[in-house]
């Protein structure tokens, strides 16, 4: 069995070495390169499966070369997959797997930490201290989590753990999900709409997938319903938020702050070294420089546990499909 893995990172080195030691029967070729027009030659050698972790778009030619070289399965080392051309994969008859469960604690903890950062006014405290202003003053007189209402949008595995973390601190936790989980009723109270959740919440943490229905879920009109002290956290998918609307809401003091780990047009920047002078995306530059935004480059998942699980489960999913086994991580392309 021959597999090819693209986008290999230094932080994945140990996980890849461990997998290879555990599975010497698999011929796994590893490349640091992304899949683009300059790396097409790598996938013309007759591989059975391809494993990737790529944010930027893959050219259509690459998909056709996968089919030509005999690729039977495309496995992504991620939970999200909106960056891939699933319609073309279906047309080409290439099956697709992802890693939906790798470490929900990683992202939930990141969201919780981001909420605490703004809830305790660390942004203002740090800025004041750097200017030599060490006074105790009203601008840094915080409220406590147990006094707040926290809204969770998307109550799957990650949203559930985030809800449990906030609940453990004594917060009132609300949830919105198209498919409510009755088992969570001891942790949170479901509301009937996102609008209701926004009106009532002091903190909102997004854990919903990127779908057509969720595109720019948080837009100009929704921000108008928010409390002025709202802290918005997005460690899910960038397309859930209309970023310009978010920045305008911050500028107009409609909401308090935002922690943004995913930006909808992050492809050219994430996991890259980029000169800010070369960035043409004015909205992204505005996001980076905004004093009320805590931006991070899609790293909420980035723990040792999560990385090992992402690597091992992705490769294993490709292997098992090639062997003709049922794989629960497979995304049905129909």
């Amino acid at each position: 069995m021959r597999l090819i893995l693209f986008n290999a990172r230094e932080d994945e080195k140990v996980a890849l070495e461990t997998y290879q030691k555990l599975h010497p029967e698999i011929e796994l070729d590893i490349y640091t390169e992304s899949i683009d027009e300059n790396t097409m030659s790598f996938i013309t050698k007759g591989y059975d499966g391809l494993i990737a972790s790529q944010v930027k778009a893959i050219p259509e030619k690459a998909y056709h070369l996968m089919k030509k070289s005999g690729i039977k399965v495309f496995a992504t080392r991620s939970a999200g997959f909106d960056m891939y051309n699933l319609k073309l994969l279906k047309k080409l008859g290439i099956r697709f797997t992802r890693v939906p469960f790798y470490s929900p604690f990683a992202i939930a903890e990141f969201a919780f930490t981001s909420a605490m950062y703004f809830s305790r006014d660390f942004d203002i405290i740090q800025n004041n201290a750097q200017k030599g202003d060490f006074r105790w003053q009203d601008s840094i007189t915080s409220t406590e989590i147990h006094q707040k209402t926290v809204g969770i949008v998307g109550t799957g595995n990650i949203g559930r753990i985030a809800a449990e973390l906030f609940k453990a601190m004594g917060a009132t936790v609300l949830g919105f999900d198209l498919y409510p989980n009755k088992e969570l009723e001891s942790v949170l109270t479901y509301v009937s709409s996102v609008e209701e959740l926004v009106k009532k919440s002091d903190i909102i943490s997004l854990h919903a997938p990127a779908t057509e229905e969720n595109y720019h879920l948080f837009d100009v009109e929704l921000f108008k319903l928010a409390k002025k002290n709202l802290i918005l956290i997005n460690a899910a998918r960038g397309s859930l938020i209309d970023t310009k609307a978010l920045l305008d809401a911050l500028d107009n003091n409609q909401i308090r702050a935002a922690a943004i780990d995913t930006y909808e047009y992050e492809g050219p920047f994430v996991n890259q070294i980029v000169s800010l002078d070369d960035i043409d995306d004015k909205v992204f530059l505005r996001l980076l420089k905004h004093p009320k935004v805590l931006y991070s480059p899609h790293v909420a998942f980035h723990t040792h546990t999560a990385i090992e699980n992402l690597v091992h489960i992705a490769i294993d999913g490709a292997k098992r499909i090639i062997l003709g086994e049922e794989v629960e991580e497979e995304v049905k392309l129909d």
Side-chain angles (χ1 to χ4, degrees):
M1 182 185 301
R2 299 189 69 201
L3 304 177
I4 184 167
L5 184 143
F6 284 97
N7 322 103
R9 309 187 306 267
E10 182 65 27
D11 58 286
E12 295 177 314
K13 184 178 180 181
V14 173
L16 286 166
E17 289 175 349
T18 302
Y19 190 89
Q20 288 181 298
K21 288 179 182 177
L22 292 170
H23 300 278
E25 76 282 5
I26 296 177
E27 183 179 345
L28 178 64
D29 290 345
I30 299 171
Y31 294 92
T32 59
E33 290 87 352
S34 298
I35 304 172
D36 58 28
E37 297 290 350
N38 297 319
T39 58
M40 294 303 97
S41 60
F42 294 140
I43 60 171
T44 61
K45 300 177 183 178
Y47 292 95
D48 298 300
L50 180 148
I51 301 99
S53 178
Q54 188 155 321
V55 177
K56 65 181 180 181
I58 296 174
E60 284 196 19
K61 182 180 178 181
Y63 291 102
H64 287 282
L65 284 171
M66 292 175 204
K67 177 65 175 180
K68 184 178 180 181
S69 67
I71 293 291
K72 301 176 182 66
V73 56
F74 184 117
T76 180
R77 306 191 303 281
S78 63
F81 51 87
D82 51 298
M83 57 285 219
Y84 302 120
N85 191 336
L86 299 191
K87 290 183 180 179
L88 184 53
L89 284 173
K90 178 184 177 182
K91 181 179 178 181
L92 295 171
I94 298 173
R95 294 166 72 178
F96 181 83
T97 73
R98 64 179 182 127
V99 187
F101 313 116
Y102 50 89
S103 178
F105 291 96
I107 296 175
E109 288 179 4
F110 191 93
F112 180 79
T113 302
S114 299
M116 290 296 294
Y117 176 83
F118 284 121
S119 183
R120 294 307 303 266
D121 297 315
F122 278 114
D123 57 329
I124 301 172
I125 293 167
Q126 181 72 7
N127 184 59
N128 288 352
Q130 289 178 346
K131 296 186 296 184
D133 184 351
F134 308 117
R135 293 173 298 165
W136 299 344
Q137 50 193 310
D138 188 58
S139 63
I140 60 170
T141 305
S142 305
T143 54
E144 299 165 14
I145 289 289
H146 75 91
Q147 298 173 307
K148 297 184 177 181
T149 297
V150 178
I152 306 292
V153 179
T155 58
N157 287 291
I158 298 171
R160 172 182 60 81
I161 294 171
E164 290 172 348
L165 287 171
F166 285 109
K167 182 71 171 181
M169 295 296 293
T172 298
V173 184
L174 304 178
F176 175 77
D177 198 300
L178 293 177
Y179 305 97
N181 183 350
K182 291 185 178 180
E183 294 180 2
L184 297 183
E185 290 178 354
S186 63
V187 178
L188 56 79
T189 301
Y190 280 105
V191 295
S192 60
S193 68
V194 174
E195 288 78 9
E196 182 182 355
L197 183 137
V198 170
K199 289 177 182 178
K200 293 180 177 180
S201 297
D202 303 299
I203 298 169
I204 295 175
S205 192
L206 306 183
H207 301 288
T211 64
E212 290 184 11
E213 293 78 13
N214 284 341
Y215 179 73
H216 284 187
L217 180 65
F218 278 72
D219 58 10
V220 172
E221 296 306 315
L222 201 56
F223 285 121
K224 289 179 181 178
L225 303 178
K227 294 183 178 182
K228 288 190 175 182
N229 67 328
L230 175 65
I231 298 167
L232 179 63
I233 304 154
N234 188 11
R237 309 306 291 176
S239 62
L240 295 173
I241 296 177
D242 179 340
T243 307
K244 185 179 182 301
L246 166 67
L247 294 168
D248 289 344
L250 290 166
D251 286 343
N252 297 331
N253 294 317
Q254 286 176 270
I255 65 172
R256 160 73 175 87
I260 302 297
D261 186 60
T262 55
Y263 170 61
E264 64 179 313
Y265 304 115
E266 66 187 13
F269 318 119
V270 165
N271 200 30
Q272 307 288 330
I273 297 176
V274 180
S275 170
L276 298 186
D277 294 333
D278 294 334
I279 295 177
D280 296 324
D281 187 335
K282 294 181 180 179
V283 174
F284 183 58
L285 287 173
R286 189 177 162 200
L287 184 77
L288 282 178
K289 297 175 182 179
H290 203 288
K292 296 180 182 178
V293 172
L294 178 64
Y295 172 77
S296 53
H298 208 137
V299 295
F301 78 97
H302 208 250
T303 66
H304 292 295
T305 299
I307 291 168
E308 179 175 288
N309 288 341
L310 284 164
V311 169
H312 288 208
I313 295 171
I315 301 174
D316 212 48
K319 178 196 76 172
R320 288 165 53 212
I321 280 184
I322 293 164
L323 291 174
E325 299 176 13
E326 285 292 322
V327 177
E328 62 179 307
E329 293 84 11
E330 181 176 6
V331 177
K332 300 297 184 182
L333 305 180
D334 49 28

